[in-house]
């Protein structure tokens, strides 16, 4: 219980009562971000430390534990040196220290590289995880993931241990080399991956020679995923306003949505109990009466743009951000309510938007979307991707991902999503990559009595998944080991059975025959 004699200010930390996934009381530590005093009693906006921001909420004083109240600490300032603040842990101090220690004076900065991140415990992922689903609010993304499938351990094998390295949530495994051997670079070669069938035909072991390295790495290990992109949010500019949800509720067609994050809707609309959106043109209105009047004039019953895919009740529309600027901006505003790691551009000209809809007698209802740059120098095939909460946990997220790779296949390219991914996006992509790669490996058949062979490059070409993502997925699942001078990858009985169960649940698939898409050369269009 809060004591009225104690003044709680912004920045204070203290335990706050909340319900966990099992509907049990818990008291996690939280930070006070804002205080307001409406008629009645005070309200406090809290951020639960080490929890996802979507769980932030306004709480009443009776949920606060003042016995463990921590006031914000003042930063001890000392005289400045060389014009830089010497506040402990300040960004300027850290940058100068890293430059002094790591960068030679005459060296030129390398483009496209990211700095190594500290090691962290490897996250686990469930093969049967459903895509981009809205999870019941819980402590963290890690706790919502199931344990990784164990690799097959044959007592006759002498398998060296693997050192784990995590980069921004994507766990990689460094493959040890035998003494005296140097790593080989690609050099245009395409090493074969041999598949040895065991007694159990569903359980195979894949021998992977070294040399299948990343095109961005010179030592045979994929470089860290780039954290740059067209819509990657610069978190250094976060302030108290953007850290707080500003929309209470959104009515979109027959659904009412509770936003997870801040979105820059006009300030005069943020105080409304409900923000109304036209589900066809996504225009925002302040009242139900305004929405009803708008619907009598709005002649759209589907997203603007070209319908490039239809199968059953599922359709995809391609929308040019330059030709349909108003719709694209409204779509970005809606998406920002559920995306924390992406920023928002009102200049939508450089982007294409692919909106997935579900058809019924009233029209085409938006389910989700992804955006991509018209021209990407980093081979990104997705900038932002979102399945709206009412349609999550139903397989639509994986369908969006599969569709993005189908477009890449038509374009004759390999693609990868912009990093960093959200926690739900990371689960969805790992699940899709895992199922897609295992589907290929398990369908390999011997040729002329010889063991089947395949390369990492061939897997990448078949799936249009970027080679770095193929390698990192195999390493993340802890399938790659080193044995007798070769890299081996073992598909255990657990992985095979888990994959079969997951594919039985995956009913929604993209049918390439229903795709009517002609890629455009945007580089030439820009010259006219």
């Amino acid at each position: 219980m809060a004591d009225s004699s104690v003044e709680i200010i912004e920045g204070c930390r203290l335990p706050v009562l909340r319900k966990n996934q099992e509907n049990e009381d818990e008291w996690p530590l939280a930070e006070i971000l804002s205080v307001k005093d409406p008629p009645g009693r005070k309200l406090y906006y809290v951020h639960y430390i080490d929890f996802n921001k979507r769980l932030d909420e306004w709480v009443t004083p009776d949920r606060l534990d003042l016995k463990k109240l921590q006031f914000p600490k003042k930063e001890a300032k000392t005289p400045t040196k060389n014009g830089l603040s010497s506040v402990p842990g300040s960004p300027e101090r850290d940058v100068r220290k890293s430059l002094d220690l790591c960068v030679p004076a005459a060296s030129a900065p390398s483009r496209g590289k990211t700095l190594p991140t500290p090691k962290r415990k490897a996250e686990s992922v469930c093969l049967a995880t459903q895509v981009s689903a809205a999870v019941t609010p819980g402590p963290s993304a890690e706790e919502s993931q199931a344990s990784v499938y164990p690799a097959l351990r044959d007592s006759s094998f002498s398998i060296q241990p693997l050192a784990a390295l995590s980069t921004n949530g994507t766990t990689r495994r460094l493959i040890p080399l035998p003494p005296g051997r140097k790593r080989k670079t690609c050099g245009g070669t395409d090493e074969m991956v041999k598949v040895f069938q065991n007694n159990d035909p569903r359980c195979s072991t894949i021998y992977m020679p070294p040399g299948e390295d990343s095109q961005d790495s010179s030592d045979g290990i994929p470089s860290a995923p780039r954290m740059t992109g067209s819509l990657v949010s610069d978190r250094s500019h976060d302030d108290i306003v953007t850290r707080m949800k500003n929309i209470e509720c959104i009515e979109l067609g027959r659904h009412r949505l509770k936003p997870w994050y801040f979105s820059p809707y006009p300030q005069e609309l943020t105080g409304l109990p409900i923000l109304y959106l036209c589900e066809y043109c996504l225009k925002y209105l302040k009242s139900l009466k305004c929405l009803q009047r708008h619907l009598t004039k709005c002649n759209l019953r589907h997203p603007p743009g070209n319908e490039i895919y239809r199968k059953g009740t599922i359709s995809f529309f391609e929308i040019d951000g330059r030709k349909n600027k108003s719709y694209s901006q409204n779509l970005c505003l809606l998406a920002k309510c559920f995306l924390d790691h992406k920023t928002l551009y009102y200049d939508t000209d450089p982007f294409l938007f692919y909106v997935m809809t579900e058809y019924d007698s009233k029209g085409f209802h938006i389910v989700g979307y992804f955006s991509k740059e018209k021209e990407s120098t980093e081979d990104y095939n997705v900038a932002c991707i979102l399945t709206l909460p009412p349609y999550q946990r139903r397989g639509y997220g994986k369908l969006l991902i599969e569709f993005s790779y189908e477009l890449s296949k038509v374009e004759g390219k390999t693609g990868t999503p912009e990093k960093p991914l959200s926690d739900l996006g990371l689960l969805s992509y790992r699940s899709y990559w895992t199922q897609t790669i295992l589907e290929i490996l398990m369908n390999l058949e011997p040729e002329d009595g010889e063991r089947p062979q395949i390369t990492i490059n061939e897997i990448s070409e078949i799936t249009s998944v970027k080679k770095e993502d193929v390698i990192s997925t195999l390493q993340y699942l802890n399938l790659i080991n080193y044995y007798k001078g070769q890299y081996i990858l073992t598909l255990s009985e657990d992985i095979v059975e888990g994959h079969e169960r997951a594919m039985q649940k995956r009913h929604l698939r993209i049918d390439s025959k229903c795709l009517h898409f002609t890629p455009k050369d945007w580089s030439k269009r820009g010259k006219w």
Side-chain angles (χ1 to χ4, degrees):
M1 295 290 291
D3 186 353
S4 58
S5 63
V6 179
E7 182 181 3
I8 304 175
I9 60 175
E10 296 173 2
C12 287
R13 294 189 174 193
L14 74 171
V16 177
L17 176 64
R18 68 180 297 275
K19 297 288 186 181
N20 60 18
Q21 291 182 335
E22 288 73 30
N23 202 32
E24 299 172 347
D25 291 346
E26 61 179 5
W27 292 84
L29 185 66
E31 178 185 355
I32 304 294
L33 297 184
S34 183
V35 182
K36 67 179 181 180
D37 195 1
R41 56 178 172 176
K42 283 188 175 182
L43 293 175
Y44 302 91
Y45 193 86
V46 299
H47 165 64
Y48 298 102
I49 308 299
D50 296 328
F51 284 59
N52 193 288
K53 274 174 58 178
R54 65 173 169 267
L55 303 180
D56 297 357
E57 59 181 337
W58 290 98
V59 300
T60 52
D62 57 326
R63 293 174 57 183
L64 307 179
D65 184 2
L66 286 181
K67 296 178 181 178
K68 299 180 180 178
L69 178 64
Q70 305 172 14
F71 286 96
K73 296 179 181 179
K74 294 183 179 179
E75 295 181 337
K77 295 186 178 181
T78 56
T80 58
K81 184 179 181 180
N82 298 331
L84 293 177
S85 169
S86 58
V87 177
S90 68
E92 297 90 345
R93 185 183 183 93
D94 294 340
V95 169
R96 171 60 62 87
K97 184 177 180 181
S98 63
L99 290 175
D100 292 341
L101 293 178
C102 302
V103 181
S107 64
S110 60
R111 297 187 60 184
K113 299 291 182 181
T114 56
L115 295 176
T117 56
K119 293 184 179 180
R120 58 179 287 188
K121 184 178 179 182
E123 295 178 283
S124 54
V125 64
C126 177
L127 184 63
T129 302
Q130 289 297 316
V131 191
S132 128
V135 295
T136 304
S140 64
E142 288 83 359
E143 293 184 12
S144 66
Q145 303 178 41
S147 60
V148 71
Y149 294 104
L152 181 64
R153 302 302 189 198
D154 191 332
S155 58
S156 64
F157 285 3
S158 176
I159 299 176
Q160 300 183 28
L162 303 178
L165 173 68
S166 173
T167 54
N168 294 285
T170 303
T171 303
R172 297 197 176 134
R173 306 210 175 261
L174 299 179
I175 311 303
L177 288 172
R181 176 176 292 188
K182 296 182 179 179
R183 292 193 181 277
K184 298 187 294 184
T185 56
C186 270
T189 61
D190 195 15
E191 298 286 354
M192 288 305 227
V193 180
K194 301 178 182 178
V195 181
F196 292 79
Q197 298 293 340
N198 294 339
N199 293 332
D200 185 347
R202 296 185 304 169
C203 187
S204 59
T205 304
I206 301 173
Y207 284 75
M208 209 172 123
E212 295 267 78
D213 59 333
S214 163
Q215 63 182 8
D216 298 325
S217 175
S218 60
D219 60 357
I221 294 299
S223 60
R226 296 185 181 93
M227 293 299 151
T228 59
S230 56
L231 295 177
V232 175
S233 176
D234 183 1
R235 308 315 298 267
S236 63
H237 295 296
D238 276 1
D239 54 29
I240 194 64
V241 174
T242 58
R243 290 181 66 189
M244 296 171 52
K245 303 172 196 172
N246 59 335
I247 303 295
E248 183 68 24
C249 182
I250 291 177
E251 184 170 306
L252 180 68
R254 58 181 180 269
H255 302 291
R256 284 195 174 178
L257 317 177
K258 293 289 254 184
W260 295 349
Y261 308 109
F262 170 88
S263 183
Y265 279 102
Q267 190 171 357
E268 61 269 20
L269 302 179
T270 58
L272 299 174
I274 299 177
L275 179 64
Y276 294 88
L277 266 63
C278 171
E279 64 175 324
Y280 302 112
C281 70
L282 301 184
K283 182 178 180 179
Y284 45 86
L285 303 115
K286 63 181 180 180
S287 68
L288 180 59
K289 189 172 184 179
C290 290
L291 175 63
Q292 292 171 342
R293 187 163 59 245
H294 166 79
L295 290 176
T296 61
K297 297 179 288 184
C298 181
N299 51 14
L300 279 180
R301 286 301 175 265
H302 59 77
N306 300 322
E307 186 181 10
I308 61 174
Y309 179 91
R310 180 187 292 189
K311 184 175 182 181
T313 59
I314 301 296
S315 292
F316 279 86
F317 290 83
E318 182 184 54
I319 299 161
D320 190 329
R322 183 180 66 85
K323 295 180 180 178
N324 299 282
K325 191 181 293 288
S326 177
Y327 180 90
S328 301
Q329 291 175 347
N330 290 336
L331 178 60
C332 290
L333 284 170
L334 173 62
K336 186 63 187 71
C337 291
F338 307 98
L339 296 173
D340 186 36
H341 295 283
K342 300 294 182 179
T343 186
L344 180 142
Y345 279 164
Y346 286 96
D347 179 18
T348 58
D349 291 13
F351 297 94
L352 293 169
F353 299 84
Y354 295 90
V355 178
M356 179 169 62
T357 63
E358 225 180 28
Y359 174 77
D360 63 16
S361 58
K362 295 184 179 180
F364 294 80
H365 308 280
I366 180 171
V367 171
Y369 89 105
F370 68 88
S371 61
K372 62 184 291 186
E373 292 177 281
K374 294 176 180 176
E375 293 183 90
S376 175
T377 58
E378 307 282 2
D379 294 328
Y380 293 132
N381 64 353
V382 166
C384 290
I385 185 167
L386 172 70
T387 305
L388 291 175
Y391 298 95
Q392 292 177 349
R393 303 190 79 88
R394 292 164 59 179
Y396 288 116
K398 196 171 271 120
L399 198 67
L400 279 168
I401 296 173
E402 185 178 2
F403 189 79
S404 70
Y405 282 109
E406 285 295 330
L407 297 184
S408 296
K409 291 177 184 178
V410 177
E411 294 170 340
K413 301 176 181 177
T414 59
T416 187
E418 278 188 11
K419 315 296 190 305
L421 295 166
S422 65
D423 53 353
L424 298 181
L426 184 62
L427 284 172
S428 302
Y429 266 95
R430 280 179 177 166
S431 177
Y432 173 80
W433 289 332
T434 299
Q435 292 182 11
T436 302
I437 294 170
L438 289 181
E439 195 170 21
I440 292 175
L441 298 180
M442 291 174 59
N443 290 332
L444 290 176
E445 296 180 357
E447 298 179 2
D448 300 327
E450 296 290 332
R451 297 184 177 100
Q453 297 181 348
I454 194 170
T455 67
I456 296 295
N457 283 341
E458 287 175 347
I459 295 175
S460 180
E461 290 171 3
I462 294 171
T463 61
S464 282
V465 177
K466 202 169 179 65
K467 187 167 65 173
E468 288 83 347
D469 295 329
V470 174
I471 296 173
S472 67
T473 301
L474 296 175
Q475 292 172 339
Y476 177 81
L477 292 173
N478 200 20
L479 301 181
I480 300 178
N481 293 285
Y482 190 79
Y483 177 69
K484 289 187 178 181
Q486 289 181 314
Y487 297 110
I488 64 171
L489 185 141
T490 305
L491 301 182
S492 69
E493 189 69 23
D494 291 337
I495 288 182
V496 173
E497 292 178 355
H499 174 72
E500 291 175 347
R501 288 195 301 268
M503 297 308 292
Q504 289 174 0
K505 296 178 182 178
R506 189 173 165 186
H507 303 296
L508 295 176
R509 299 296 298 269
I510 294 295
D511 186 352
S512 58
K513 297 177 182 177
C514 300
L515 177 63
H516 306 283
F517 169 70
T518 303
K520 302 177 180 66
D521 189 346
W522 296 101
S523 60
K524 292 183 179 179
R525 286 170 172 259
K527 296 177 182 178
W528 290 94

